[in-house]
Amino acid sequence: MATFDVVIKRGTVIDGTARPRFKCDVGISGDRIAAIETDIHEDSAKSVIDADGKVVAPGFIDAHCHTDWNILEVPWDDHQERQGVTTQIGGLCGTAPLSPREHFEEAEARGLGTNYALFAGHGSIREAVMGEENRTPTTAETESMKALIRKAMDEGALGLSTGLIYAPGRFAKASELAEMATVAARLNGFYATHMRSESDHISEAFEEALTVAKASGARLQISHIKVILPRNWGKAIGLVEAIERGIKSGISITADQYPYTVTGGGLYGARKLVDGWDQDSGWGLFQDRFGQADERVKMAGHIDNLLEERGGAEHFTIIRSSEEECLGTSLDKAAASSGVTPGEYCVLALQASGGTFAMAYESVSDEELALFMRQPWTMAGSDGILGAFHPRTHGTFTRILGRYVREKHVLTLEEAVRKMTSLPAETFGFRDRGVLQAGAYADVVVFDPDTVGDEADLLTPTKQPSGVEHVLVNGVPVVSSGERTGAYPGRPLPKRSV
């Protein structure tokens, strides 16, 4: 009679703790890891996975994603499992379901391919109570918002998230944020913040986040940490030093990060390039202006000024164009080959494409990205949004393993796995997850360290990654030999039960 449901044979185990890799077999019974031993007999298993030459690691934890926006509205998308993700955390940047319990129940009923946890969203709660009004809440409104936060925490939210560049979150002052975060902190919750600035005023924005954490007693999580705009490159070291000072003072501070130099707001199409463009009448007005020589000059000048303010045309890559040969080309090179200014090139390209011409803006320094990645308190988070132009949704975890471990040697493989597994598990309290050890939940990924990598890019953002061969969630294979199995063994992870 079989002792194990699954045995993973001959693999190199990287257990999530950052200790050196070792050769071992992994035996799984039900939803738990039952044994990690040097030689488990194949006859003792109902199913055997041959992991010779492969890495066996805990399933990855996406510390920051936005699947909660549409997880109940679209068929399940397997982009997380394909990267080796077995647990995802939503409800970030201030937007989240008002009732985690109801959301969990609906999600579980439709089938979860991964485990699933949520934050409560300050922006969603503020909008439910106050709409999008730019003012200080009344005492009654404050109490209503606090009651909704308390309810969300009671239903399993990990803490409170904010999106301080979005309405209505940006209307809240630090004193309001601290009062709201206090409710979460009293229930051992986090304050996760998309800070008020990630560019010119990033130092002040971090000081505000630190103030809220100090006043509320909440543990602080910095969402998608980065410094944007070339004119601000060089500020990352100061932010790292400020975080280190905060940690030394006794404040719990962690961060998540996606490994791309193009941000989620880095799509530059007509609405950003053309002054006055709007969804309803933008194309018609643009055509009217295009027909007038002086207006074309004005539009081109506006774009040239915009590009200069953002560091220059060399930071922009063409990703949508009626001329296929230009795709993937930097704007400065495309304009130079056409003998026009970058602004003139954009105006002409918009006209030729019917308004669909677009570029991606590289606003983050790869050196500073690597600096943040090396910090022991930074974990991986995709910030993924289904249907977006950005490849991070489909490529974050495999990109770290391929580009930043194997190719650039920014991290060791052991440290990279730690940042994807035990660090977020320990941070957010996912008990018995994030490590490969007997008794832990059998969330497991098997990948080829020589071929693992992201295939998605700015031109093909939904292309599946390479090198991830097997993924198990709670002991059930969801990816087998690189293909989705159709199983949905994921579970909600409300805070009270993890």
Side-chain angles (χ1 to χ4, degrees):
M1 184 174 180
T3 304
F4 304 103
D5 293 307
V6 179
V7 167
I8 304 173
K9 291 284 295 180
R10 293 175 285 275
T12 297
V13 172
I14 296 182
D15 67 4
T17 67
R19 71 168 173 160
R21 66 196 75 181
F22 55 94
K23 295 282 288 186
C24 229
D25 297 344
V26 178
I28 296 169
S29 295
D31 63 357
R32 300 274 181 161
I33 296 171
I36 299 180
E37 300 174 0
T38 55
D39 188 15
I40 300 176
H41 264 294
E42 295 188 18
D43 291 345
S44 66
K46 296 177 184 177
S47 174
V48 175
I49 295 173
D50 186 355
D52 188 26
K54 311 301 189 297
V55 168
V56 184
F60 305 146
I61 298 172
D62 189 341
H64 184 127
C65 68
H66 293 286
T67 49
D68 53 282
W69 290 7
N70 48 26
I71 196 171
L72 303 180
E73 300 170 1
V74 298
W76 180 266
D77 186 280
D78 62 4
H79 67 280
Q80 294 276 24
E81 301 97 293
R82 298 276 190 165
Q83 297 179 71
V85 171
T86 58
T87 296
Q88 52 183 304
I89 302 174
L92 281 307
C93 297
T95 302
L98 292 177
S99 173
R101 179 185 292 123
E102 291 179 7
H103 195 74
F104 285 146
E105 289 174 352
E106 289 185 55
E108 191 170 26
R110 61 78 54 86
L112 286 168
T114 70
N115 302 310
Y116 189 50
L118 282 172
F119 272 79
H122 166 261
S124 297
I125 288 169
R126 197 180 205 271
E127 184 174 12
V129 173
M130 299 176 60
E132 293 201 357
E133 295 189 33
N134 182 3
R135 60 176 175 80
T136 301
T138 66
T139 300
E141 288 166 340
T142 296
E143 292 306 311
S144 294
M145 287 191 284
K146 289 165 67 175
L148 286 174
I149 296 170
R150 194 175 299 110
K151 176 178 179 291
M153 293 296 299
D154 288 342
E155 293 183 4
L158 298 178
L160 181 68
S161 78
T162 59
L164 301 182
I165 68 167
Y166 309 114
R170 68 170 181 259
F171 304 140
K173 297 178 181 177
S175 56
E176 175 187 330
L177 300 173
E179 190 164 3
M180 300 303 152
T182 298
V183 178
R186 286 173 178 166
L187 295 169
N188 199 30
F190 283 78
Y191 174 65
T193 181
H194 178 150
M195 297 191 297
R196 209 174 292 272
S197 173
E198 296 175 327
S199 57
D200 296 349
H201 303 290
I202 192 166
S203 297
E204 298 91 328
F206 175 70
E207 286 304 316
E208 178 186 51
L210 202 61
T211 296
V212 171
K214 287 178 179 178
S216 66
R219 290 169 289 171
L220 177 60
Q221 170 78 3
I222 304 297
S223 294
H224 39 61
I225 192 167
K226 57 186 174 291
V227 176
I228 60 175
L229 299 181
R231 64 173 176 265
N232 293 305
W233 293 356
K235 292 183 177 180
I237 186 63
L239 180 56
V240 168
E241 291 170 350
I243 291 172
E244 291 288 352
R245 287 194 297 272
I247 292 172
K248 288 178 181 178
S249 74
I251 300 171
S252 173
I253 307 174
T254 48
D256 59 73
Q257 176 195 41
Y258 54 83
Y260 294 87
T261 55
V262 173
T263 71
L267 179 66
Y268 275 67
R271 297 185 72 177
K272 286 187 177 179
L273 295 172
V274 181
D275 188 27
W277 186 286
D278 64 64
Q279 188 171 357
D280 297 325
S281 58
W283 176 238
L285 292 175
F286 173 80
Q287 285 186 300
D288 289 343
R289 296 180 69 188
F290 187 86
Q292 304 172 53
D294 60 333
E295 288 295 315
R296 288 200 302 274
V297 171
K298 289 180 183 177
M299 288 193 292
H302 171 78
I303 294 172
D304 280 325
N305 289 335
L306 182 72
L307 298 173
E308 183 178 358
E309 191 267 341
R310 282 154 177 74
E314 65 270 23
H315 296 291
F316 290 77
T317 301
I318 298 168
I319 62 172
R320 297 175 188 170
S321 175
S322 58
E323 299 180 0
E324 291 189 9
E325 64 273 15
C326 295
L327 295 174
T329 303
S330 65
L331 176 60
D332 61 325
K333 292 180 180 177
S337 66
S338 298
V340 295
T341 71
E344 289 171 330
Y345 183 93
C346 290
V347 171
L348 293 169
L350 282 165
Q351 175 67 14
S353 68
T356 62
F357 172 80
M359 301 176 294
Y361 172 40
E362 189 174 18
S363 63
V364 175
S365 157
D366 196 49
E367 290 74 19
E368 293 194 337
L369 187 159
L371 173 66
F372 286 126
M373 187 177 288
R374 290 188 186 100
Q375 304 311 310
W377 33 262
T378 303
M379 61 193 77
S382 69
D383 199 16
I385 302 169
L386 288 177
F389 83 100
H390 205 294
R392 67 191 183 194
T393 300
H394 291 261
T396 285
F397 290 82
T398 49
R399 182 176 177 84
I400 292 172
L401 296 173
R403 177 177 173 83
Y404 290 97
V405 173
R406 186 178 61 244
E407 297 173 8
K408 295 176 73 71
H409 307 292
V410 172
L411 300 172
T412 65
L413 190 51
E414 285 85 351
E415 179 62 9
V417 170
R418 184 190 77 87
K419 287 173 170 291
M420 299 176 182
T421 58
S422 67
L423 177 58
E426 292 171 2
T427 298
F428 297 113
F430 297 148
R431 190 166 54 244
D432 295 335
R433 299 189 191 271
V435 291
L436 278 187
Q437 62 184 25
Y441 285 101
D443 296 338
V444 184
V445 57
V446 179
F447 64 89
D448 186 336
D450 295 326
T451 63
V452 68
D454 60 318
E455 300 292 335
D457 56 28
L458 291 165
L459 301 182
T460 56
T462 61
K463 194 172 182 180
Q464 300 291 0
S466 58
V468 175
E469 300 191 0
H470 300 274
V471 181
L472 293 87
V473 175
N474 297 312
V476 178
V478 295
V479 173
S480 179
S481 299
E483 297 299 325
R484 185 68 168 83
T485 66
Y488 296 93
R491 299 170 184 170
L493 298 182
K495 185 172 178 59
R496 64 179 180 277
S497 68
V498 297

